[in-house]
Amino acid sequence: MLKRVVVVMCFLLLVSCNTDTSKKGVIYTTKVDATLLHYHKGWQEIMDLGDYAAAEVSYRKALANDPDFLVGKSVLARLTLDLEERLALYKTVEENKHTIHGDERLILDVYQALTKYTNLRDQKSKDAKDALQEALNMGEYNFRKIVHTYPHEVYLKSEYIEILHSQYGAQRTLDSMQNLITKKQQNNPFLLGYKAILTAETKNYEDALSSAQALVEQMKGIKAAKPDAILADIYFKMGDYANAEIHANKAFNIDPRNLDASRLKEKIEAKLK
């Protein structure tokens, strides 16, 4: 157990060094060091490890140290599966977001727009589709400024890349990644995995599996859902549903909260039937 903890901590430190956000990072309004520590740890867990359950714990710890950290509330709202809690968090942030300004506000507005969409979707509202497009448009505009102002903020950059994918598809996003990703970020687990998924979407399966294998090797010895979730996605796109199911089940067993794995399981089971 101790060995595993040491391995995970070394991995998180490596990721932190690779992102190098200390050169120039977004300044958040909270003054509580523990809040920022748990907030950034949550992003590492959800993006790099694919560990949604651990990330939720980290975000809750961040808010326990500073209950007024609005960006933290907005991120927790995006993650919680409890609709009532999400509605309450969204309402609180909306009532107090006038206190947040500058680049932090650009980020907060996108998170709130995405939460609004999720709420409408879960409430079966006919307005959900329009709300999603509004959130994506805002996200593209706001995060474009953020990623060029703070090129070392790897997780904000990752979210921007996800938005570009939703807006323009795989190939254009891969082209954008060539210009956006710094040399130090090329082996970031999320970006490496997302590149594999996008490459598979262009039907270049050999290169996609090569990137995925690089991720597997990088995360060897770390119990994380991310590598298997990526492999499951690639095999699904290849039409190899048997291998896709094996890896989706592995990812799901590591973290049942992993959205990529759970969604893939449903798609794979439908195909196999």
Side-chain angles (χ1 to χ4, degrees):
M1 178 64 182
L2 178 59
K3 182 179 179 181
R4 181 189 164 199
V5 171
V6 171
V7 171
V8 172
M9 289 305 297
C10 288
F11 173 77
L12 293 178
L13 286 171
L14 175 62
V15 170
S16 178
C17 291
N18 283 342
T19 61
D20 202 10
T21 57
S22 61
K23 283 189 176 180
K24 190 176 183 183
V26 176
I27 304 299
Y28 293 103
T29 50
T30 182
K31 304 300 182 186
V32 182
D33 290 341
T35 291
L36 287 176
L37 174 67
H38 290 300
Y39 178 74
H40 291 304
K41 183 183 178 186
W43 278 115
Q44 291 174 333
E45 289 164 337
I46 198 168
M47 301 295 271
D48 292 343
L49 303 180
D51 194 338
Y52 286 64
E56 181 174 346
V57 172
S58 292
Y59 294 135
R60 292 190 186 281
K61 286 181 178 178
L63 291 172
N65 285 280
D66 183 358
D68 298 322
F69 183 38
L70 295 184
V71 171
K73 285 182 184 290
S74 68
V75 173
L76 178 60
R78 294 175 61 191
L79 188 60
T80 180
L81 299 178
D82 186 332
L83 175 60
E84 293 305 314
E85 180 183 33
R86 192 186 312 124
L87 288 168
L89 287 167
Y90 177 82
K91 182 174 183 291
T92 299
V93 175
E94 282 295 292
E95 291 172 347
N96 294 280
K97 68 181 183 181
H98 65 276
T99 63
I100 306 299
H101 306 284
D103 293 332
E104 185 182 15
R105 178 60 183 271
L106 292 179
I107 297 166
L108 181 63
D109 284 345
V110 176
Y111 292 170
Q112 281 293 91
L114 289 167
T115 301
K116 177 182 177 181
Y117 154 69
T118 305
N119 288 339
L120 291 172
R121 181 198 65 193
D122 287 0
Q123 293 172 314
K124 312 296 183 187
S125 171
K126 62 181 178 57
D127 298 323
K129 184 177 179 180
D130 289 341
L132 174 59
Q133 191 56 58
E134 289 174 9
L136 291 173
N137 291 343
M138 179 191 293
E140 182 182 356
Y141 181 85
N142 288 12
F143 281 164
R144 181 185 294 118
K145 178 183 177 184
I146 294 295
V147 301
H148 288 294
T149 304
Y150 309 99
H152 299 287
E153 286 275 16
V154 70
Y155 301 121
L156 292 168
K157 184 177 292 186
S158 297
E159 289 204 289
Y160 178 56
I161 288 168
E162 286 184 297
I163 290 169
L164 292 180
H165 181 210
S166 296
Q167 296 279 63
Y168 303 112
Q171 189 56 61
R172 285 184 63 178
T173 304
L174 283 168
D175 294 341
S176 295
M177 288 177 73
Q178 292 285 336
N179 298 318
L180 287 170
I181 298 175
T182 67
K183 186 176 181 179
K184 288 185 177 180
Q185 293 168 346
Q186 288 177 357
N187 290 322
N188 170 268
F190 175 83
L191 293 173
L192 187 58
Y194 205 69
K195 179 184 176 183
I197 289 174
L198 295 177
T199 303
E201 196 170 314
T202 66
K203 302 190 185 306
N204 187 350
Y205 301 124
E206 185 176 347
D207 284 352
L209 286 172
S210 178
S211 293
Q213 190 57 44
L215 178 63
V216 170
E217 290 300 317
Q218 184 182 132
M219 300 184 70
K220 200 170 185 178
I222 299 171
K223 188 178 181 180
K226 172 68 71 174
D228 283 300
I230 298 298
L231 284 166
D233 188 279
I234 295 171
Y235 282 120
F236 182 81
K237 287 180 169 66
M238 293 172 63
D240 185 347
Y241 303 125
N243 268 320
E245 183 178 39
I246 290 170
H247 288 287
N249 285 337
K250 284 182 178 179
F252 185 81
N253 289 336
I254 291 171
D255 180 17
R257 287 284 309 279
N258 185 287
L259 295 179
D260 299 320
S262 58
R263 288 167 182 166
L264 272 169
K265 275 175 61 66
E266 292 179 4
K267 292 180 181 179
I268 293 165
E269 289 166 3
K271 289 289 185 181
L272 290 175
K273 287 179 181 178

